[in-house]
Short mmCIF file of all heavy atoms in Angstrom, two decimals:
data_model
loop_
_atom_site.label_atom_id
_atom_site.label_comp_id
_atom_site.label_asym_id
_atom_site.label_seq_id
_atom_site.Cartn_x
_atom_site.Cartn_y
_atom_site.Cartn_z
N MET A 1 82.70 100.43 104.73
CA MET A 1 84.09 100.70 104.64
C MET A 1 84.50 100.33 103.22
O MET A 1 84.02 99.41 102.66
CB MET A 1 84.94 99.83 105.57
CG MET A 1 86.44 100.08 105.32
SD MET A 1 87.63 98.89 106.23
CE MET A 1 86.78 98.26 107.65
N PHE A 2 85.24 101.22 102.56
CA PHE A 2 85.63 101.15 101.18
C PHE A 2 87.26 100.93 101.16
O PHE A 2 87.89 101.64 101.94
CB PHE A 2 85.18 102.21 100.33
CG PHE A 2 83.80 102.37 100.19
CD1 PHE A 2 83.03 103.19 100.91
CD2 PHE A 2 83.15 101.54 99.16
CE1 PHE A 2 81.61 103.26 100.78
CE2 PHE A 2 81.83 101.66 98.99
CZ PHE A 2 81.05 102.55 99.83
N VAL A 3 87.70 100.16 100.37
CA VAL A 3 89.09 100.05 100.04
C VAL A 3 89.29 100.62 98.61
O VAL A 3 88.60 100.17 97.70
CB VAL A 3 89.62 98.60 100.03
CG1 VAL A 3 91.15 98.50 99.66
CG2 VAL A 3 89.37 97.97 101.44
N HIS A 4 90.13 101.69 98.47
CA HIS A 4 90.28 102.39 97.17
C HIS A 4 91.65 102.17 96.66
O HIS A 4 92.63 102.22 97.42
CB HIS A 4 90.00 103.90 97.38
CG HIS A 4 88.62 104.16 97.56
ND1 HIS A 4 88.08 104.29 98.83
CD2 HIS A 4 87.56 104.39 96.70
CE1 HIS A 4 86.78 104.62 98.80
NE2 HIS A 4 86.51 104.65 97.47
N ASN A 5 91.85 102.24 95.41
CA ASN A 5 93.06 102.27 94.69
C ASN A 5 93.57 103.71 94.80
O ASN A 5 92.89 104.62 94.13
CB ASN A 5 92.90 101.78 93.20
CG ASN A 5 94.19 101.86 92.45
OD1 ASN A 5 95.21 102.55 92.78
ND2 ASN A 5 94.27 101.10 91.41
N THR A 6 94.64 103.95 95.41
CA THR A 6 95.07 105.32 95.65
C THR A 6 95.54 106.04 94.36
O THR A 6 95.62 107.18 94.24
CB THR A 6 96.19 105.45 96.65
OG1 THR A 6 97.29 104.63 96.32
CG2 THR A 6 95.67 105.06 98.10
N SER A 7 95.93 105.27 93.37
CA SER A 7 96.36 105.83 92.10
C SER A 7 95.23 106.47 91.28
O SER A 7 95.44 107.48 90.52
CB SER A 7 97.15 104.84 91.20
OG SER A 7 96.33 103.92 90.79
N ASP A 8 94.06 105.91 91.41
CA ASP A 8 92.94 106.43 90.52
C ASP A 8 91.62 106.61 91.40
O ASP A 8 90.56 106.89 90.80
CB ASP A 8 92.76 105.70 89.25
CG ASP A 8 92.40 104.27 89.49
OD1 ASP A 8 92.06 103.91 90.61
OD2 ASP A 8 92.36 103.55 88.47
N SER A 9 91.63 106.31 92.63
CA SER A 9 90.50 106.44 93.54
C SER A 9 89.30 105.42 93.17
O SER A 9 88.20 105.60 93.65
CB SER A 9 89.98 107.88 93.49
OG SER A 9 90.89 108.67 94.07
N THR A 10 89.52 104.37 92.41
CA THR A 10 88.47 103.50 92.21
C THR A 10 88.37 102.53 93.32
O THR A 10 89.25 102.20 94.02
CB THR A 10 88.90 102.57 90.88
OG1 THR A 10 90.01 101.89 91.11
CG2 THR A 10 88.87 103.44 89.63
N ALA A 11 87.13 102.10 93.66
CA ALA A 11 86.82 101.19 94.72
C ALA A 11 87.33 99.81 94.39
O ALA A 11 86.99 99.34 93.26
CB ALA A 11 85.40 101.27 95.07
N ILE A 12 88.01 99.22 95.27
CA ILE A 12 88.56 97.83 95.05
C ILE A 12 87.65 96.88 95.83
O ILE A 12 87.30 95.78 95.28
CB ILE A 12 90.01 97.70 95.60
CG1 ILE A 12 90.88 98.53 94.72
CG2 ILE A 12 90.43 96.23 95.45
CD1 ILE A 12 92.24 98.61 95.21
N ALA A 13 87.13 97.23 97.00
CA ALA A 13 86.22 96.42 97.82
C ALA A 13 85.46 97.31 98.69
O ALA A 13 85.78 98.43 98.99
CB ALA A 13 87.14 95.42 98.61
N SER A 14 84.33 96.81 99.22
CA SER A 14 83.58 97.52 100.15
C SER A 14 82.91 96.48 101.12
O SER A 14 82.69 95.32 100.71
CB SER A 14 82.43 98.32 99.48
OG SER A 14 81.52 97.47 98.86
N PHE A 15 82.79 96.85 102.29
CA PHE A 15 82.22 96.02 103.38
C PHE A 15 81.10 96.80 104.19
O PHE A 15 81.32 98.05 104.43
CB PHE A 15 83.29 95.60 104.31
CG PHE A 15 84.46 94.89 103.67
CD1 PHE A 15 85.63 95.64 103.44
CD2 PHE A 15 84.34 93.62 103.20
CE1 PHE A 15 86.68 94.92 102.88
CE2 PHE A 15 85.45 92.99 102.63
CZ PHE A 15 86.63 93.57 102.47
N GLU A 16 80.06 96.18 104.42
CA GLU A 16 78.82 96.75 105.05
C GLU A 16 79.11 96.97 106.53
O GLU A 16 79.80 96.15 107.20
CB GLU A 16 77.66 95.92 104.89
CG GLU A 16 77.15 95.77 103.42
CD GLU A 16 76.79 97.06 102.81
OE1 GLU A 16 76.10 97.89 103.52
OE2 GLU A 16 77.04 97.33 101.67
N PRO A 17 78.69 98.02 107.10
CA PRO A 17 78.75 98.24 108.61
C PRO A 17 78.16 97.16 109.28
O PRO A 17 77.16 96.57 108.88
CB PRO A 17 77.93 99.60 108.87
CG PRO A 17 78.01 100.25 107.56
CD PRO A 17 77.99 99.15 106.43
N GLY A 18 78.83 96.74 110.41
CA GLY A 18 78.30 95.65 111.16
C GLY A 18 78.72 94.28 110.61
O GLY A 18 78.48 93.23 111.22
N ASP A 19 79.31 94.34 109.47
CA ASP A 19 79.75 92.97 108.88
C ASP A 19 81.17 93.12 108.34
O ASP A 19 81.50 92.47 107.35
CB ASP A 19 78.79 92.63 107.64
CG ASP A 19 78.94 91.22 107.29
OD1 ASP A 19 79.27 90.40 108.04
OD2 ASP A 19 78.73 90.94 105.98
N TYR A 20 82.02 93.97 109.00
CA TYR A 20 83.40 94.10 108.56
C TYR A 20 84.08 92.77 108.83
O TYR A 20 83.98 92.20 109.90
CB TYR A 20 84.05 95.26 109.34
CG TYR A 20 83.52 96.56 109.12
CD1 TYR A 20 83.42 97.45 110.25
CD2 TYR A 20 83.12 96.98 107.99
CE1 TYR A 20 82.82 98.77 110.05
CE2 TYR A 20 82.52 98.27 107.72
CZ TYR A 20 82.42 99.12 108.77
OH TYR A 20 81.97 100.44 108.58
N PRO A 21 84.83 92.31 107.89
CA PRO A 21 85.66 91.04 108.05
C PRO A 21 86.89 91.29 108.85
O PRO A 21 87.42 92.43 108.86
CB PRO A 21 86.00 90.68 106.59
CG PRO A 21 86.10 91.97 105.88
CD PRO A 21 85.03 92.82 106.47
N ASP A 22 87.36 90.31 109.47
CA ASP A 22 88.67 90.37 110.08
C ASP A 22 89.70 90.10 109.01
O ASP A 22 89.31 89.92 107.82
CB ASP A 22 88.90 89.54 111.37
CG ASP A 22 88.69 88.03 111.02
OD1 ASP A 22 88.97 87.58 109.81
OD2 ASP A 22 88.48 87.25 111.90
N LEU A 23 90.90 90.15 109.27
CA LEU A 23 91.96 90.06 108.20
C LEU A 23 91.94 88.57 107.52
O LEU A 23 92.12 88.49 106.36
CB LEU A 23 93.37 90.38 108.80
CG LEU A 23 94.54 90.48 107.73
CD1 LEU A 23 94.17 91.44 106.71
CD2 LEU A 23 95.78 90.87 108.47
N VAL A 24 91.69 87.63 108.32
CA VAL A 24 91.57 86.26 107.76
C VAL A 24 90.39 86.15 106.80
O VAL A 24 90.50 85.66 105.73
CB VAL A 24 91.41 85.16 108.91
CG1 VAL A 24 91.20 83.80 108.32
CG2 VAL A 24 92.74 85.16 109.75
N GLN A 25 89.32 86.78 107.22
CA GLN A 25 88.14 86.69 106.29
C GLN A 25 88.37 87.49 105.12
O GLN A 25 87.97 87.13 103.99
CB GLN A 25 86.91 87.17 107.05
CG GLN A 25 86.47 86.27 108.16
CD GLN A 25 85.50 87.00 109.13
OE1 GLN A 25 85.54 88.22 109.37
NE2 GLN A 25 84.56 86.17 109.69
N ALA A 26 88.98 88.65 105.24
CA ALA A 26 89.26 89.60 104.01
C ALA A 26 90.19 88.80 103.01
O ALA A 26 89.90 88.87 101.89
CB ALA A 26 89.92 90.79 104.51
N ARG A 27 91.17 88.09 103.61
CA ARG A 27 91.99 87.27 102.74
C ARG A 27 91.18 86.20 101.94
O ARG A 27 91.44 85.86 100.76
CB ARG A 27 93.15 86.60 103.51
CG ARG A 27 94.20 87.43 103.96
CD ARG A 27 95.29 86.62 104.69
NE ARG A 27 96.35 87.41 105.15
CZ ARG A 27 97.36 87.82 104.43
NH1 ARG A 27 97.48 87.49 103.15
NH2 ARG A 27 98.29 88.59 104.91
N GLU A 28 90.30 85.60 102.63
CA GLU A 28 89.54 84.58 101.97
C GLU A 28 88.48 85.13 101.03
O GLU A 28 88.38 84.58 99.88
CB GLU A 28 88.63 83.78 103.04
CG GLU A 28 89.51 82.95 104.02
CD GLU A 28 88.80 82.33 105.13
OE1 GLU A 28 87.56 82.57 105.35
OE2 GLU A 28 89.34 81.55 105.89
N LEU A 29 88.00 86.29 101.23
CA LEU A 29 87.01 86.98 100.35
C LEU A 29 87.69 87.58 99.13
O LEU A 29 87.24 87.45 98.06
CB LEU A 29 86.30 88.07 101.07
CG LEU A 29 85.23 87.73 102.22
CD1 LEU A 29 84.88 88.88 102.98
CD2 LEU A 29 84.10 86.99 101.47
N LEU A 30 88.92 88.12 99.32
CA LEU A 30 89.64 88.84 98.25
C LEU A 30 91.13 88.42 98.25
O LEU A 30 92.00 89.12 98.47
CB LEU A 30 89.57 90.28 98.43
CG LEU A 30 88.19 90.81 98.42
CD1 LEU A 30 88.11 92.25 98.90
CD2 LEU A 30 87.57 90.82 97.00
N PRO A 31 91.33 87.13 97.82
CA PRO A 31 92.71 86.54 97.82
C PRO A 31 93.67 87.35 96.89
O PRO A 31 94.89 87.33 97.03
CB PRO A 31 92.61 85.04 97.54
CG PRO A 31 91.35 85.01 96.81
CD PRO A 31 90.42 86.09 97.36
N GLU A 32 93.18 87.92 95.89
CA GLU A 32 93.90 88.64 94.85
C GLU A 32 94.54 89.86 95.51
O GLU A 32 95.45 90.46 94.85
CB GLU A 32 93.06 89.08 93.66
CG GLU A 32 92.00 90.10 93.85
CD GLU A 32 90.69 89.46 94.36
OE1 GLU A 32 90.58 88.29 94.84
OE2 GLU A 32 89.68 90.21 94.41
N LEU A 33 94.16 90.28 96.67
CA LEU A 33 94.76 91.42 97.40
C LEU A 33 95.70 91.01 98.42
O LEU A 33 95.87 91.74 99.43
CB LEU A 33 93.57 92.34 98.00
CG LEU A 33 92.63 92.89 96.91
CD1 LEU A 33 91.51 93.71 97.71
CD2 LEU A 33 93.35 93.80 95.98
N ALA A 34 96.38 89.88 98.29
CA ALA A 34 97.33 89.36 99.26
C ALA A 34 98.38 90.30 99.69
O ALA A 34 98.66 90.46 100.91
CB ALA A 34 97.93 88.06 98.73
N LYS A 35 98.92 91.09 98.75
CA LYS A 35 99.95 92.11 99.11
C LYS A 35 99.42 93.09 99.99
O LYS A 35 100.07 93.57 100.95
CB LYS A 35 100.65 92.70 97.90
CG LYS A 35 101.43 91.83 97.08
CD LYS A 35 102.14 92.53 95.94
CE LYS A 35 103.03 91.64 95.22
NZ LYS A 35 103.67 92.36 94.08
N LEU A 36 98.12 93.60 99.74
CA LEU A 36 97.50 94.54 100.63
C LEU A 36 97.37 94.01 102.05
O LEU A 36 97.66 94.61 103.07
CB LEU A 36 96.12 94.99 100.07
CG LEU A 36 95.27 95.88 100.99
CD1 LEU A 36 95.98 97.18 101.20
CD2 LEU A 36 93.93 96.05 100.40
N TRP A 37 96.85 92.74 102.17
CA TRP A 37 96.53 92.17 103.41
C TRP A 37 97.86 91.93 104.22
O TRP A 37 97.95 92.09 105.41
CB TRP A 37 95.79 90.84 103.38
CG TRP A 37 94.51 90.99 102.47
CD1 TRP A 37 94.08 90.12 101.57
CD2 TRP A 37 93.48 92.05 102.49
NE1 TRP A 37 92.94 90.49 101.03
CE2 TRP A 37 92.53 91.74 101.63
CE3 TRP A 37 93.32 93.24 103.22
CZ2 TRP A 37 91.45 92.52 101.36
CZ3 TRP A 37 92.26 93.96 103.00
CH2 TRP A 37 91.33 93.69 102.14
N ASP A 38 98.95 91.61 103.52
CA ASP A 38 100.30 91.53 104.08
C ASP A 38 100.67 92.88 104.67
O ASP A 38 101.24 92.89 105.78
CB ASP A 38 101.34 91.02 103.08
CG ASP A 38 101.14 89.51 102.73
OD1 ASP A 38 100.36 88.80 103.36
OD2 ASP A 38 101.84 89.14 101.65
N ALA A 39 100.48 93.94 103.97
CA ALA A 39 100.93 95.32 104.41
C ALA A 39 100.07 95.63 105.70
O ALA A 39 100.56 96.24 106.56
CB ALA A 39 100.67 96.34 103.31
N VAL A 40 98.75 95.38 105.61
CA VAL A 40 97.89 95.64 106.78
C VAL A 40 98.40 94.93 108.02
O VAL A 40 98.46 95.38 109.08
CB VAL A 40 96.39 95.39 106.52
CG1 VAL A 40 95.56 95.39 107.70
CG2 VAL A 40 95.82 96.20 105.39
N ARG A 41 98.66 93.58 107.87
CA ARG A 41 99.16 92.66 108.94
C ARG A 41 100.47 93.40 109.51
O ARG A 41 100.68 93.47 110.74
CB ARG A 41 99.36 91.28 108.52
CG ARG A 41 99.88 90.47 109.62
CD ARG A 41 100.19 89.06 109.14
NE ARG A 41 101.33 89.13 108.17
CZ ARG A 41 101.54 88.25 107.26
NH1 ARG A 41 100.75 87.19 107.10
NH2 ARG A 41 102.55 88.44 106.46
N HIS A 42 101.40 93.67 108.61
CA HIS A 42 102.62 94.25 109.09
C HIS A 42 102.47 95.59 109.81
O HIS A 42 103.00 95.72 110.89
CB HIS A 42 103.54 94.60 107.76
CG HIS A 42 104.87 95.12 108.20
ND1 HIS A 42 105.03 96.52 108.14
CD2 HIS A 42 106.03 94.65 108.63
CE1 HIS A 42 106.34 96.85 108.55
NE2 HIS A 42 106.92 95.62 108.73
N ASP A 43 101.55 96.48 109.32
CA ASP A 43 101.39 97.72 110.03
C ASP A 43 100.67 97.53 111.40
O ASP A 43 101.09 98.15 112.38
CB ASP A 43 100.51 98.66 109.20
CG ASP A 43 101.25 99.33 107.99
OD1 ASP A 43 102.46 99.06 107.94
OD2 ASP A 43 100.59 99.95 107.18
N PHE A 44 99.76 96.50 111.44
CA PHE A 44 99.17 96.26 112.74
C PHE A 44 100.20 95.82 113.75
O PHE A 44 100.17 96.32 114.86
CB PHE A 44 98.13 95.18 112.55
CG PHE A 44 97.45 94.65 113.81
CD1 PHE A 44 96.51 95.33 114.46
CD2 PHE A 44 97.98 93.56 114.43
CE1 PHE A 44 96.02 95.02 115.74
CE2 PHE A 44 97.53 93.15 115.73
CZ PHE A 44 96.43 93.88 116.27
N TRP A 45 101.00 94.78 113.42
CA TRP A 45 101.88 94.27 114.40
C TRP A 45 103.07 95.28 114.65
O TRP A 45 103.58 95.25 115.74
CB TRP A 45 102.45 92.90 113.88
CG TRP A 45 101.43 91.87 114.08
CD1 TRP A 45 100.83 91.15 113.01
CD2 TRP A 45 100.91 91.37 115.30
NE1 TRP A 45 99.91 90.29 113.52
CE2 TRP A 45 99.94 90.45 114.85
CE3 TRP A 45 101.11 91.75 116.63
CZ2 TRP A 45 99.22 89.75 115.87
CZ3 TRP A 45 100.29 90.99 117.61
CH2 TRP A 45 99.36 90.04 117.22
N THR A 46 103.40 96.15 113.73
CA THR A 46 104.39 97.16 114.04
C THR A 46 103.95 98.11 115.07
O THR A 46 104.66 98.53 115.92
CB THR A 46 104.75 97.94 112.74
OG1 THR A 46 105.28 97.01 111.77
CG2 THR A 46 105.70 99.02 112.94
N GLU A 47 102.64 98.49 115.07
CA GLU A 47 101.99 99.36 116.05
C GLU A 47 101.70 98.61 117.40
O GLU A 47 101.86 99.18 118.50
CB GLU A 47 100.77 100.01 115.49
CG GLU A 47 101.04 100.99 114.47
CD GLU A 47 101.99 102.15 114.93
OE1 GLU A 47 101.69 102.69 116.00
OE2 GLU A 47 102.87 102.44 114.15
N ALA A 48 101.26 97.34 117.28
CA ALA A 48 100.85 96.55 118.39
C ALA A 48 102.00 96.17 119.29
O ALA A 48 101.88 96.06 120.53
CB ALA A 48 100.08 95.38 117.98
N ILE A 49 103.10 95.90 118.75
CA ILE A 49 104.25 95.39 119.52
C ILE A 49 105.38 96.37 119.41
O ILE A 49 106.04 96.43 118.22
CB ILE A 49 104.79 93.97 119.14
CG1 ILE A 49 103.50 92.99 119.22
CG2 ILE A 49 105.99 93.57 119.86
CD1 ILE A 49 103.85 91.67 118.75
N PRO A 50 105.70 97.17 120.35
CA PRO A 50 106.70 98.17 120.35
C PRO A 50 108.05 97.75 119.82
O PRO A 50 108.75 98.43 119.18
CB PRO A 50 106.76 98.76 121.72
CG PRO A 50 105.48 98.45 122.40
CD PRO A 50 105.01 97.14 121.65
N ALA A 51 108.44 96.52 120.13
CA ALA A 51 109.72 95.98 119.75
C ALA A 51 109.84 95.88 118.19
O ALA A 51 110.94 95.88 117.65
CB ALA A 51 110.02 94.54 120.31
N HIS A 52 108.69 95.88 117.47
CA HIS A 52 108.75 95.79 116.04
C HIS A 52 108.70 97.15 115.47
O HIS A 52 108.84 97.25 114.18
CB HIS A 52 107.50 94.94 115.50
CG HIS A 52 107.62 93.56 115.81
ND1 HIS A 52 106.60 92.80 116.20
CD2 HIS A 52 108.66 92.70 115.61
CE1 HIS A 52 106.98 91.61 116.33
NE2 HIS A 52 108.18 91.48 115.94
N ARG A 53 108.60 98.19 116.21
CA ARG A 53 108.64 99.52 115.55
C ARG A 53 110.06 99.88 115.06
O ARG A 53 111.06 99.44 115.63
CB ARG A 53 108.21 100.55 116.67
CG ARG A 53 106.75 100.42 116.93
CD ARG A 53 106.26 101.55 117.81
NE ARG A 53 104.92 101.37 118.21
CZ ARG A 53 104.39 101.65 119.37
NH1 ARG A 53 105.04 102.39 120.18
NH2 ARG A 53 103.13 101.33 119.57
N ARG A 54 110.11 100.63 114.04
CA ARG A 54 111.30 101.12 113.51
C ARG A 54 111.97 102.03 114.49
O ARG A 54 111.32 102.91 115.01
CB ARG A 54 111.14 101.73 112.16
CG ARG A 54 110.57 100.80 111.04
CD ARG A 54 110.54 101.58 109.82
NE ARG A 54 109.80 100.66 108.82
CZ ARG A 54 108.64 100.91 108.38
NH1 ARG A 54 107.96 101.91 108.69
NH2 ARG A 54 108.10 100.05 107.55
N PRO A 55 113.25 101.96 114.63
CA PRO A 55 113.99 102.95 115.49
C PRO A 55 113.88 104.30 115.02
O PRO A 55 113.99 104.43 113.80
CB PRO A 55 115.32 102.38 115.69
CG PRO A 55 115.52 101.46 114.52
CD PRO A 55 114.16 101.02 114.09
N ARG A 56 113.68 105.30 115.90
CA ARG A 56 113.66 106.74 115.43
C ARG A 56 115.04 107.19 115.45
O ARG A 56 115.88 106.91 116.32
CB ARG A 56 112.79 107.51 116.37
CG ARG A 56 111.30 107.02 116.35
CD ARG A 56 110.51 107.99 117.25
NE ARG A 56 108.97 107.57 117.31
CZ ARG A 56 108.18 107.71 116.37
NH1 ARG A 56 108.57 108.37 115.25
NH2 ARG A 56 107.01 107.22 116.58
N PRO A 57 115.34 108.13 114.46
CA PRO A 57 116.66 108.74 114.43
C PRO A 57 116.84 109.61 115.76
O PRO A 57 115.80 110.11 116.32
CB PRO A 57 116.55 109.58 113.26
CG PRO A 57 115.43 109.15 112.37
CD PRO A 57 114.48 108.50 113.30
N PRO A 58 118.09 109.71 116.19
CA PRO A 58 118.37 110.57 117.42
C PRO A 58 117.81 111.89 117.26
O PRO A 58 117.86 112.49 116.15
CB PRO A 58 119.87 110.53 117.48
CG PRO A 58 120.33 109.37 116.67
CD PRO A 58 119.25 109.08 115.61
N GLY A 59 117.19 112.48 118.32
CA GLY A 59 116.82 113.87 118.30
C GLY A 59 115.31 113.97 117.80
O GLY A 59 114.84 115.15 117.65
N THR A 60 114.62 112.91 117.40
CA THR A 60 113.21 113.06 116.98
C THR A 60 112.34 112.63 118.13
O THR A 60 112.73 111.82 119.06
CB THR A 60 112.97 112.12 115.82
OG1 THR A 60 113.19 110.84 116.12
CG2 THR A 60 113.87 112.61 114.61
N SER A 61 111.08 113.09 118.12
CA SER A 61 110.17 112.75 119.20
C SER A 61 109.12 111.76 118.66
O SER A 61 109.00 111.65 117.39
CB SER A 61 109.45 113.99 119.73
OG SER A 61 108.73 114.62 118.67
N ALA A 62 108.46 111.10 119.55
CA ALA A 62 107.37 110.21 119.17
C ALA A 62 106.19 110.81 118.69
O ALA A 62 105.84 111.89 118.88
CB ALA A 62 107.11 109.30 120.39
#
């Protein structure tokens, strides 16, 4: 798995198959990417717990 900088496609980090870190381990391995790990955590919990999902405007479907 590769983590890329979307502005210029450079690789920021890579993890070998079968050795993917969980979020806590990723934070320990690459603490300079704290903002990224915060965004990943937010997106995870937004999807995992429906009450945290943003309300949809009226007339839109899921």
